[in-house]
Every structure is written in structure tokens, then in C-alpha cells.
């Protein structure tokens, strides 16, 4: 999910006294809120503009929001308490979100319909750690429909949709996640997913590698019995390759982050829209003429830059990879070092998957009001820990959005915010010996199948090769049509 920030709206310094020409005008004016009422109405409108309908409608009162879900005793309508979410009563709103998401996720729904009778994941016990949104809920419910038992937690402490987590808990999925978890909550939720009596995971679906790391370190006996790991992020894939290189990866793993459908749809096309959605919801910022630096020109960075440029922002990028840097130049973006431009930037966006991309020294040099946000993995890219120093003041603006205030008064807003199904089916059902203890790319045939499931939604019709054409090109008529290295 994208991160974004909120810029405070300046208050009026003075208010003119209004004169009325007649009684009717005065009565008409009186229908509208008083000064205090107008402030309240303004806040209400501002809040509603930043949240989806269902999340706004599912807000609980403030006293409930202050209570940690870990301290609540909750049960779903079936009497189960094997979950920990913000408020199980939000399930109805979450169900609406999921039903809306299903309309735009034709590939998963098609897979669900085609394979539901066969139950290819019967016997699979999947522990998952991903963003918990309406879209991932469609994935989770598809896995359940295909026969899997699932326990789920969030890979990001900021992106969970509470009402969606409640909806999953209501249908019996053991979910441990809520928006705004502390770091201690984050690891507690992961442990609750893994460590439960009478249930042991045999498959892992991870986004970022934290779940895999936790099982590997804390439950090595469980890790050794896992039949496969599916990893969705560049950070998590990097961790898997490190384990493999060190000879410590004792189970096969599938890298779906580098599949074409993941790279293009999730990283490029979805982020191209979500960066604007996230920033607009939280700031209502006008991008035209704004100086923006995007750190990283991978697929996520490309999507962000395209969207920002289209709205008139002046975009430059930072890169360590000469190939990506050259691509940025050919796409019309200036390639810079962050330290060279940091003082002039209105918005700083990180999407590298690395750590400490924006350091405290660079944060100190930012101009007043600069928006800092993260599109990469968790909050490691921005040195948030250094901002917890005593000389800086944190001012909560709204959920997930804080102003960081320097001693001189400077402030900036900070906010941190599927091929996987087929990969799970492939690893779970693969005959012994097909996959060794290593990291594998999603087979190109499977990648093309995922893409083909999307096409009916666009009323797209593929051209079929004739036998002569297939022979000429050296291809099978049914694919794969591209080599494994194609991206």
C-alpha cells in the first residue's frame, strides 16, 4: 500500500463581520452551522475525504479505539475466538469491501470457479503474512475455496483495513492484524499465527520475509517440514537468496515478485494509481509544479513517476543501477543524488526495498512542509528511529500521519503506510524431487496462465498461432511464448 502524508491547513487570522440587507438573508444564513459548528463540519468533511466509505462508516468510538485488540475478548457469530482484530462488529462493512474488490479481480475469481471442485489445496495449511486489504482477502478466500486452511497476519503495521480483517475473522479465517500495530504487536501477531495447538503450517506465503525469518529462527522444526515458501516482495526474495547462498534454505521457495504478472500489475500498474490515491486522500495536495524526488526506478518507481508526471509534478529520481538510471533518462526524468536536491523537494517518495534510503542528516536538511512517504517495504527505507530523539516533537495529525517538528519550528509530515495462488498450488502438489532446496522463479507457463485469466475482463481475444507459424518460431501453440528470462 502507498504511504502518504498530511499537510496542515492554515487557520484564518481574522474573520469579517457579516452585514445582512434583510431578515430573510439573515434567516437563510442561520440555517448553516455556527463558527464552532463550521469547524466541526469542516473536520468531518476532511476526514471523510481521506477514508473509504466502509472504513469511515465502521469507525468505533474513541474509547474503543484506545483499547488494544490484545486486551479484548471477541468471538464471531460461530463462537470462535481464534483471531485478533480491531473490532469483529465491522465484519459487515468489510464484506462489502471484499465484494467490490472481487469485481475487479477476475483472474482469482476465475481460478476459484475452475479449481473449486478439484480442491488442489486440500490438506494445505497456509500461514500468510501480507497486506490485509480487500484485494488480499479475495486471495485468502480463494485459497480457502480451493481447500486450504489459512492463518493470516499483516506484513505492514499501517496498511491493514480493520473491517476487512473482521470480515475474514467472521468467516473463520484466523486473522491477527489491525491498523497501527506497535512493533511488539507485529511480532506477537506473527507468533500467534504460527504457534497454535493442534495446527502446524506446511506452506508459507510471505510479503517481506518477516514471517519466514520468524519461523526459521523460532520454530526450526516447523520450518524444516514446510513443503514450500512463496515470496511476493523484493526484500523477502533477497532474504531467501541469502539463506540459499548460505546453505540454510532447507525447503523449496518460489519467487513470484519477479514474475511478469506481479512486476507489471502489482508493482507498476497498481502503484501508478495507489501513489496518487494515498497522497490525495491524506493531503489533498495539488501536484502541478511540485518538486518530487522518487528514490528507486524499478517497477514501483516507474509507476509512481508516470502518475506524478501526468499531474504536472516536476519529477527527478535517484538510482544505484545504471540500467534503471538510463531508463529514467530515456523516459524524461533527471537522475540525481538525494543529497544534491533534498533542500528543494516538496515530496520525497521511497520505493527501493532497501534500508536507510532517507537518513537523519537528509531529514534535517529538508525544507519546512516537505512530505515524506514510503512505497517500499515497511518503514525501513526512512530512518524513522532517529526521529524519536528528545529534541524532536511528534504531533499526531490523523491516523498514520504525523508532523515531525524541529526545535526551530520546521516541520514535515510523515506517513508510513495473483500469481501467489498458483505458486502455492504448484509447490504443494509438485512431485517429490521436482523442486530442491532453492529459490525458483514462477514457471513462465504459469505466468502466462495468470495473464490469460485477466483477459476476459477486458474482452480481449488472443490470436492463435497456426501450426506453420508455431513451427517457424519454434514454439508450442499453447505456450510458453516467452523465455524464462523475459521480464
Amino acid at each position: 500500500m502507498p504511504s502518504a502524508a498530511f499537510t496542515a491547513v492554515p487557520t484564518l487570522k481574522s474573520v469579517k463581520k457579516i452585514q445582512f440587507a434583510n431578515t430573510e438573508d439573515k434567516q437563510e444564513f442561520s440555517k448553516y452551522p455556527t463558527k464552532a459548528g463550521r469547524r466541526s463540519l469542516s473536520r468531518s468533511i476532511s476526514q471523510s475525504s481521506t477514508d473509504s466509505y466502509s472504513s469511515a462508516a465502521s469507525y468505533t468510538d474513541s474509547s474503543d479505539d484506545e483499547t488494544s485488540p490484545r486486551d479484548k475478548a471477541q468471538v464471531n457469530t460461530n463462537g470462535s475466538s481464534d483471531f485478533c482484530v480491531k473490532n469483529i462488529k465491522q465484519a459487515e462493512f468489510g464484506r462489502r469491501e471484499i465484494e467490490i474488490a472481487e469485481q475487479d479481480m477476475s483472474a482469482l475469481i476465475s481460478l476459484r470457479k475452475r479449481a473449486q471442485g478439484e480442491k488442489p489445496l486440500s490438506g494445505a495449511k497456509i500461514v500468510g503474512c501480507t497486506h490485509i486489504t480487500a484485494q488480499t482477502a479475495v486471495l485468502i478466500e480463494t485459497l480457502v475455496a480451493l481447500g486450504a486452511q489459512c492463518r493470516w497476519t499483516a506484513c505492514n503495521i499501517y496498511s491493514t483495513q480493520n473491517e476487512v480483517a473482521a470480515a475474514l475473522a467472521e468467516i473463520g479465517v484466523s486473522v491477527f492484524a489491525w491498523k497501527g500495530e506497535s512493533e511488539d504487536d507485529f511480532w506477537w501477531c506473527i507468533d500467534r499465527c504460527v504457534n497454535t495447538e493442534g495446527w502446524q503450517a506446511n506452506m508459507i506465503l510471505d510479503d517481506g520475509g518477516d514471517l519466514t525469518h520468524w519461523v526459521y529462527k523460532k520454530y526450526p522444526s516447523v520450518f524444516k517440514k514446510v513443503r514450500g515458501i512463496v515470496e511476493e516482495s523484493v526484500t523477502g526474495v533477497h532474504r531467501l537468496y541469502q539463506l540459499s547462498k548460505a546453505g540454510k534454505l532447507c525447503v523449496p521457495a518460489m519467487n513470484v515478485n519477479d514474475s511478469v504478472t506481479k512486476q507489471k500489475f502489482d508493482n507498476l500498474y497498481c502503484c501508478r494509481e495507489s501513489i496518487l490515491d494515498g497522497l490525495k486522500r491524506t493531503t489533498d495536495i495539488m501536484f502541478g509544479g511540485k518538486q518530487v524526488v522518487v528514490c528507486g526506478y524499478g517497477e514501483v518507481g516507474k509507476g509512481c513517476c508516470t502518475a506524478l508526471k501526468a499531474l504536472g509534478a516536476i519529477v527527478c529520481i535517484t538510482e544505484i543501477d545504471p540500467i534503471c538510471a538510463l531508463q529514467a533518462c530515456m523516459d524524461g526524468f533527471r537522475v540525481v543524488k538525494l543529497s544534491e536536491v533534498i533542500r528543494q523537494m516538496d515530496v520525497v517518495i521511497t520505493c527501493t526495498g532497501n534500508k536507510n534510503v532517507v537518513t537523519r542528516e537528509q531529514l534535517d536538511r529538508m525544507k519546512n512542509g516537505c512530505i515524506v512517504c514510503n512505497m517500499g517495504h515497511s518503514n525501513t527505507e526512512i530512518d524513522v528511529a532517529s526521529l524519536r530523539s528528545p529534541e524532536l516533537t511528534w504531533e499526531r495529525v490523523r491516523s498514520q500521519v504525523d508532523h515531525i517538528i524541529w526545535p526551530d519550528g520546521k516541520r514535515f509530515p510523515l506517513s508510513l503506510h495473483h500469481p501467489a495462488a498458483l505458486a502455492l498450488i504448484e509447490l504443494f502438489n509438485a512431485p517429490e524431487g521436482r523442486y530442491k532446496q532453492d529459490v525458483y522463479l514462477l514457471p513462465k507457463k504459469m505466468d502466462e496462465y495468470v495473464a490469460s485469466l485477466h483477459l476476459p475482463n477486458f474482452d480481449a481475444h488472443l490470436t492463435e498461432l497456426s501450426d506453420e507459424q508455431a513451427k517457424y518460431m519454434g514454439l508450442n501453440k499453447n505456450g510458453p511464448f516467452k523465455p524464462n528470462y523475459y521480464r
Side-chain angles (χ1 to χ4, degrees):
M1 286 270 311
S3 313
F6 171 76
T7 319
V9 179
T11 56
L12 295 174
K13 297 297 183 184
S14 61
V15 180
K16 292 182 179 180
K17 186 175 181 180
I18 301 174
Q19 302 275 340
F20 295 101
N22 53 57
T23 305
E24 288 77 9
D25 288 343
K26 187 172 183 178
Q27 289 174 342
E28 182 66 22
F29 180 79
S30 298
K31 295 178 182 177
Y32 295 93
T34 62
K35 182 178 179 181
R38 284 193 295 274
R39 282 200 300 269
S40 176
L41 178 62
S42 173
R43 175 60 188 141
S44 175
I45 292 171
S46 174
Q47 182 67 52
S48 65
S49 70
T50 65
D51 299 297
S52 66
Y53 167 76
S54 60
S55 57
S58 63
Y59 283 159
T60 53
D61 60 47
S62 59
S63 61
D64 184 60
D65 284 348
E66 293 170 1
T67 305
S68 169
R70 292 168 64 174
D71 299 328
K72 296 179 184 178
Q74 302 183 81
V75 294
N76 63 17
T77 54
N78 293 320
S80 172
S81 59
D82 188 19
F83 62 87
C84 190
V85 299
K86 188 68 174 178
N87 188 346
I88 190 64
K89 295 177 181 178
Q90 297 177 337
E92 182 182 348
F93 296 102
R95 180 51 51 193
R96 294 177 192 170
E97 293 264 8
I98 295 169
E99 288 171 353
I100 292 170
E102 285 178 346
Q103 297 173 21
D104 207 29
M105 302 187 72
S106 56
L108 277 176
I109 299 303
S110 177
L111 177 63
R112 189 186 299 182
K113 290 177 179 178
R114 292 186 188 188
Q116 194 166 4
E118 302 170 13
K119 302 288 185 188
L121 289 176
S122 180
K125 296 180 178 180
I126 303 171
V127 60
C129 183
T130 65
H131 297 278
I132 296 183
T133 64
Q135 290 73 28
T136 52
V138 177
L139 167 64
I140 295 166
E141 292 186 353
T142 298
L143 299 177
V144 172
L146 300 186
Q149 297 178 32
C150 295
R151 298 178 68 83
W152 227 265
T153 188
C155 69
N156 188 299
I157 62 177
Y158 304 105
S159 64
T160 298
Q161 289 178 273
N162 286 330
E163 64 276 11
V164 171
L168 288 169
E170 176 60 30
I171 65 166
V173 178
S174 298
V175 178
F176 298 85
W178 59 93
K179 188 176 185 178
E181 299 168 10
S182 67
E183 185 170 349
D184 179 64
D185 292 333
F186 174 78
W187 295 112
W188 179 86
C189 287
I190 287 180
D191 194 72
R192 282 297 307 273
C193 271
V194 178
N195 184 19
T196 183
E197 189 176 349
W199 194 93
Q200 182 171 305
N202 55 24
M203 297 292 292
I204 293 175
L205 175 56
D206 207 355
D207 187 340
D210 291 321
L211 171 61
T212 303
H213 173 79
W214 187 261
V215 178
Y216 173 76
K217 289 288 187 181
K218 298 290 184 178
Y219 303 99
S221 61
V222 174
F223 189 79
K224 290 175 183 176
K225 293 179 182 178
V226 166
R227 294 175 65 169
I229 300 168
V230 175
E231 175 55 54
E232 290 193 329
S233 78
V234 63
T235 307
V237 167
H238 179 66
R239 290 177 173 182
L240 285 173
Y241 280 121
Q242 285 180 321
L243 278 177
S244 178
K245 188 175 181 180
K248 297 179 180 178
L249 185 63
C250 54
V251 296
M254 191 77 77
N255 165 12
V256 299
N257 178 72
D258 292 316
S259 64
V260 176
T261 42
K262 172 67 164 61
Q263 284 281 326
K264 299 301 182 187
F265 283 89
D266 194 354
N267 296 359
L268 176 61
Y269 301 130
C270 290
C271 289
R272 186 173 66 187
E273 299 198 22
S274 61
I275 180 62
L276 298 182
D277 177 69
L279 284 170
K280 284 288 189 182
R281 283 176 185 267
T282 50
T283 69
D284 289 328
I285 182 176
M286 188 171 184
F287 286 101
K290 290 292 189 297
Q291 297 275 353
V292 181
V293 59
V294 176
C295 301
Y297 201 68
E299 297 300 327
V300 173
K302 288 180 175 71
C304 292
C305 289
T306 301
L308 293 163
K309 183 179 180 181
L311 288 189
I314 303 165
V315 183
C316 57
I317 69 106
T318 70
E319 249 305 335
I320 62 166
D321 185 333
I323 294 176
C324 289
L326 179 59
Q327 287 177 315
C329 292
M330 297 302 291
D331 289 337
F333 299 108
R334 192 161 59 101
V335 179
V336 299
K337 291 184 177 180
L338 187 59
S339 58
E340 295 172 350
V341 299
I342 195 69
R343 290 186 186 276
Q344 291 79 45
M345 292 299 108
D346 297 301
V347 184
V348 177
I349 300 169
T350 58
C351 41
T352 68
N354 209 331
K355 63 182 292 187
N356 294 337
V357 177
V358 180
T359 65
R360 173 59 190 273
E361 184 271 333
Q362 291 164 333
L363 292 166
D364 286 338
R365 294 173 57 206
M366 289 179 183
K367 70 180 184 181
N368 185 42
C370 179
I371 296 170
V372 184
C373 62
N374 167 51
M375 282 287 287
H377 176 63
S378 194
N379 62 346
T380 58
E381 302 196 46
I382 302 165
D383 186 11
V384 177
S386 71
L387 298 177
R388 299 289 182 184
S389 55
E391 75 272 15
L392 301 182
T393 302
W394 285 61
E395 182 182 89
R396 174 52 56 96
V397 179
R398 60 178 62 168
S399 177
Q400 302 183 49
V401 184
D402 297 274
H403 275 167
I404 316 300
I405 307 172
W406 265 249
D408 62 0
K410 181 188 84 168
R411 63 174 63 199
F412 71 78
L414 173 70
S415 179
L416 305 168
H417 290 285
H418 255 273
L422 287 176
L424 286 166
I425 293 172
E426 171 66 16
L427 282 176
F428 185 71
N429 291 285
E432 188 174 350
R434 175 180 292 179
Y435 295 107
K436 297 180 172 58
Q437 298 166 355
D438 205 348
V439 184
Y440 294 85
L441 290 171
L442 188 72
K444 190 62 60 182
K445 179 73 174 175
M446 205 169 292
D447 215 350
E448 291 175 354
Y449 179 66
V450 173
S452 71
L453 292 176
H454 284 280
L455 295 180
N457 202 41
F458 300 96
D459 194 27
H461 304 276
L462 288 174
T463 300
E464 294 183 8
L465 291 174
S466 67
D467 291 337
E468 185 179 358
Q469 287 173 323
K471 184 178 179 180
Y472 180 78
M473 295 295 294
L475 296 172
N476 186 307
K477 286 179 65 174
N478 299 315
F481 300 98
K482 293 288 192 293
N484 280 330
Y485 56 78
Y486 174 77
R487 291 293 172 267

